């Protein structure tokens, strides 16, 4: 027996004393996929090569060397991250990550063929792909409005873009045999207090109505609309607010995407999951970490991450939740960023699955809140580490800090050669 297995055996005994079936918990998390976002690999740059900088009220800061400059580099980097992460993964693309063969292909011209390279790669790895229309970093988004713009011409341009994105997503679903989750996020908003908060929201609804009037098989594509509180340069008004997106999603049988950084700083998405789960079939999460604002810091295993994971497990929401990540830190090694964030997300899920739920529920029902609190606190020092190590080993990923050296080696061998 290896040291990892020995420690695991003892930990398993201890959890059994607490009434927890460790093997069942591991099996549950092994079924859960996390969608790794491509955009951490190159600071939301994409491959349109138009020279347009990142806009839309989001910001990637930092200039750490070695970012991916081509689709091949991004794929190679992602594969490195995959090898360091234990668990089932998907890959989440944005429309700007097309392969245009050096020819300008505008957003209203993209086709499935521009993503064939990604599909081939996903097939090779046996993973699913998710997708996002890109409503930012484009001259036609310069007013801060896209699908809700007062000009019909601009709205039509973006409607066409999104329709094409859904067609591409449907192609992904068909090709890969797993539904492609499309997240629709528009940066639409206004810097200073608007006098008309209603018309842009009505226009946004009319635009989405047209986009979603094209029906696809749900086996291939699922659609979520992502809300937001505010963005840089759109501090006073966001067209697709939480109420708007939740209302639109519920009314139209879509998914309301919840990004952990898109609410008031003391508001947590964990508390929203049980409520929304009653009114939509599925949930789509953008697991992120806001620091003071929607800063998209790398996800860590903090209280918020723990609470999100606990809510998903306690309410048995994992089977109908699409877990995607959304952070972009350009100030550190980007493969480390991916690996830290995704390992933490899996870690949080596994830890949440190790609760004696029946017992805790029973205590709560009996109003025995003292014992409930006592047990929850004791659980915090239960031997989770050995279970996590075993889970990593079982799923072919490095145990403990060993992955860091692998990342450093990759930086030496590959990243440092990019200048
Ligand atoms: C922006 C949204 C959105 C983006 C990605 C790149 O605030 O969170 O999801 O981060 O589409
Ligand atoms: Zn997001």
């Amino acid at each position: 027996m290896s040291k990892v297995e020995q420690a695991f055996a003892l930990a398993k005994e201890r959890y059994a004393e607490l009434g927890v079936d460790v093997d069942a918990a591991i099996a549950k998390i092994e079924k859960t996929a996390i969608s790794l976002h491509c955009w951490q690999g190159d600071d939301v740059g994409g491959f349109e090569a138009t020279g347009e900088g990142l806009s839309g009220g989001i910001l990637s800061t930092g200039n750490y060397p070695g970012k991916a400059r081509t689709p091949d580099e991004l794929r190679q980097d992602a594969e490195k991250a995959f090898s360091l992460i234990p668990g089932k993964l998907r890959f989440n693309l944005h429309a700007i990550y097309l392969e245009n063969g050096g020819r300008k292909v505008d957003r209203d011209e993209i086709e499935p063929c521009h993503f064939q390279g990604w599909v081939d790669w996903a097939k090779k790895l046996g993973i699913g792909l998710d997708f996002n229309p890109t409503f930012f970093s484009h001259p036609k988004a310069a007013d801060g409005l896209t699908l809700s713009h007062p000009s019909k011409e601009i709205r039509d341009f973006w409607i066409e873009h999104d329709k094409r994105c859904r067609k591409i997503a449907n192609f992904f679903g068909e090709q890969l045999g797993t539904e492609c989750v499309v997240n629709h996020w528009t940066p639409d908003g206004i810097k200073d207090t608007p006098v008309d908060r209603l018309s842009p929201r009505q226009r946004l609804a009319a635009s989405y109505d047209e986009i979603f009037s094209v029906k696809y098989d749900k086996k291939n594509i699922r659609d979520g609309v992502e809300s937001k509180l505010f963005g840089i340069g759109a501090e006073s008004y966001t067209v697709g607010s939480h109420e708007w997106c939740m209302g639109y999603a519920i009314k139209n049988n879509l998914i309301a995407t919840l990004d952990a950084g898109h609410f008031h700083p003391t508001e947590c998405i964990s508390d929203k999951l049980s409520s929304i789960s009653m009114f939509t079939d599925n949930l789509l999460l953008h697991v992120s970490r806001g620091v003071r604002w929607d800063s998209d810091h790398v996800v860590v295993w903090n209280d918020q991450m723990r609470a999100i994971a606990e809510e998903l497990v306690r309410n048995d929401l994992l089977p109908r939740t699409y877990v995607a990540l959304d952070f972009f830190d350009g100030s550190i090694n980007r493969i480390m960023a991916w690996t830290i964030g995704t390992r933490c997300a899996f870690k949080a899920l596994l830890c949440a699955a190790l609760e004696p739920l029946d017992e805790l529920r029973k205590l709560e029902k009996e109003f025995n809140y003292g014992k409930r609190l006592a047990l929850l606190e004791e659980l915090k020092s239960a031997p989770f580490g050995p279970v996590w190590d075993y889970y990593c080993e079982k799923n072919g990923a490095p145990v403990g800090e060993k992955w860091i050296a692998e990342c450093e080696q990759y930086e030496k061998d590959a990243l440092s050669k990019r200048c």
Side-chain angles (χ1 to χ4, degrees):
M1 242 205 244
S2 70
K3 279 209 171 125
V4 169
E5 284 164 343
Q6 280 175 33
F8 174 68
L10 285 175
K12 202 169 138 173
E13 268 177 37
R14 176 69 191 112
Y15 273 107
E17 284 167 13
L18 289 161
V20 177
D21 180 344
V22 173
D23 292 320
I26 290 177
K28 183 177 283 181
I29 303 313
E30 282 174 343
K31 273 193 228 132
T32 305
I34 293 187
S35 192
L36 200 71
H37 53 310
C38 74
W39 53 92
Q40 166 61 68
D42 76 333
D43 311 343
V44 212
F47 304 120
E48 283 181 321
T50 52
E52 189 82 21
L54 180 58
S55 71
I58 53 178
L59 194 61
S60 172
T61 59
N63 223 346
Y64 197 83
K67 81 171 161 197
R69 300 158 301 179
T70 64
D72 282 333
E73 285 181 354
L74 189 57
R75 286 190 275 262
Q76 192 196 332
D77 291 357
E79 279 185 48
K80 186 71 221 176
F82 288 171
S83 75
L84 306 174
I85 299 164
K88 206 160 129 187
L89 294 167
R90 304 173 57 84
F91 203 58
N92 198 1
L93 292 170
H94 240 283
I96 48 173
Y97 289 78
L98 81 173
E99 293 180 83
N100 56 19
R103 195 179 70 82
K104 181 175 165 43
V105 177
D106 210 347
R107 304 271 170 93
D108 61 343
E109 297 167 339
I110 53 170
E111 294 282 351
C113 65
H114 299 122
F115 294 87
Q116 187 64 53
W118 288 107
V119 168
D120 295 341
W121 176 71
K123 277 186 184 164
K124 185 186 87 182
L125 299 183
I127 59 168
L129 290 178
D130 296 316
F131 203 53
N132 302 256
T134 313
F135 291 105
F136 50 84
S137 306
H138 190 281
K140 286 201 165 71
D143 292 329
L145 299 173
T146 62
L147 290 176
S148 69
H149 200 284
S151 151
K152 181 170 185 312
E153 194 194 318
I154 304 255
R155 288 200 307 278
D156 285 347
F157 173 85
W158 290 111
I159 289 170
E160 182 61 26
H161 171 60
D162 202 341
K163 281 185 169 172
R164 282 170 183 259
C165 286
R166 293 183 74 236
K167 185 177 160 197
I168 292 162
N170 184 62
F171 168 71
F172 288 174
E174 276 173 359
Q175 290 285 311
L176 301 170
T178 159
E179 70 266 38
C180 172
V181 180
V182 186
N183 181 55
H184 304 259
W185 172 69
T186 57
D188 295 32
I190 294 179
K191 184 180 175 79
D192 222 329
T193 317
V195 292
D196 183 0
R197 287 175 185 265
L198 182 59
S199 303
R201 289 185 168 141
Q202 289 169 330
R203 290 194 292 264
L204 183 63
S207 294
Y208 273 139
D209 287 350
E210 193 174 330
I211 290 162
F212 296 123
S213 71
V214 182
K215 301 294 175 201
Y216 290 104
D217 193 332
K218 279 193 175 180
K219 276 208 316 268
N220 294 330
I221 151 173
R222 302 302 317 275
D223 296 284
V225 282
E226 183 181 11
S227 66
K228 190 161 174 171
L229 182 63
F230 78 95
I232 301 168
E235 290 86 357
S236 304
Y237 170 68
T238 296
V239 185
S241 62
H242 176 52
E243 291 72 15
W244 193 97
C245 287
M246 195 170 79
Y248 191 84
I250 291 172
K251 187 171 172 198
N252 295 286
N253 217 352
L254 302 168
I255 306 171
T257 309
L258 298 177
D259 184 310
H262 288 195
F263 294 86
H264 290 278
T266 57
E267 206 179 346
C268 294
I269 63 166
S270 49
D271 185 40
K272 304 177 189 300
L273 303 177
S274 50
S275 297
I276 296 185
S277 77
M278 294 172 58
F279 306 106
T280 60
D281 294 342
N282 297 94
L283 297 163
L284 171 53
L285 305 186
H286 268 193
V287 181
S288 189
R289 176 166 58 109
V291 176
R292 300 190 185 277
W293 66 290
D294 178 37
S295 57
D296 294 288
H297 277 61
V298 176
V299 164
V300 294
W301 191 28
N302 59 6
D303 285 351
Q304 248 205 58
M305 185 66 245
R306 291 182 83 106
I308 292 169
E310 283 163 2
E311 282 302 301
L312 291 175
V313 174
R314 289 175 183 170
N315 300 308
D316 199 20
L317 295 175
L318 280 176
R320 54 193 185 104
T321 300
Y322 298 109
V323 183
L325 303 174
D326 185 12
F327 51 80
F328 29 98
D329 189 340
S331 74
I332 58 175
N333 177 317
R334 294 170 184 80
I335 290 118
M336 277 194 186
W338 261 331
T339 309
I340 295 164
T342 319
R343 280 177 73 106
C344 281
F346 274 119
K347 198 183 267 183
L349 288 171
L350 182 61
C351 191
L354 292 168
E355 284 186 335
L357 254 190
D358 292 342
E359 170 73 1
L360 288 165
R361 282 217 177 94
K362 184 171 153 278
L363 293 172
E364 191 160 287
K365 237 179 167 173
E366 292 165 353
F367 294 95
N368 197 342
Y369 295 159
K371 193 166 172 191
R372 179 192 61 186
L373 183 60
L375 197 49
L376 283 171
E377 285 307 300
E378 285 308 320
L379 270 173
K380 287 183 180 168
S381 50
F384 172 65
V387 179
W388 168 248
D389 287 349
Y390 172 80
Y391 167 85
C392 287
E393 192 168 86
K394 184 166 182 280
N395 286 281
V399 170
E401 74 287 356
K402 290 199 183 74
W403 69 267
I404 303 170
E406 282 195 41
C407 231
E408 286 169 333
Q409 191 59 45
Y410 183 75
E411 177 161 9
K412 250 190 224 137
D413 297 342
L415 303 184
S416 68
K417 312 247 153 72
R418 302 173 188 167
C419 45

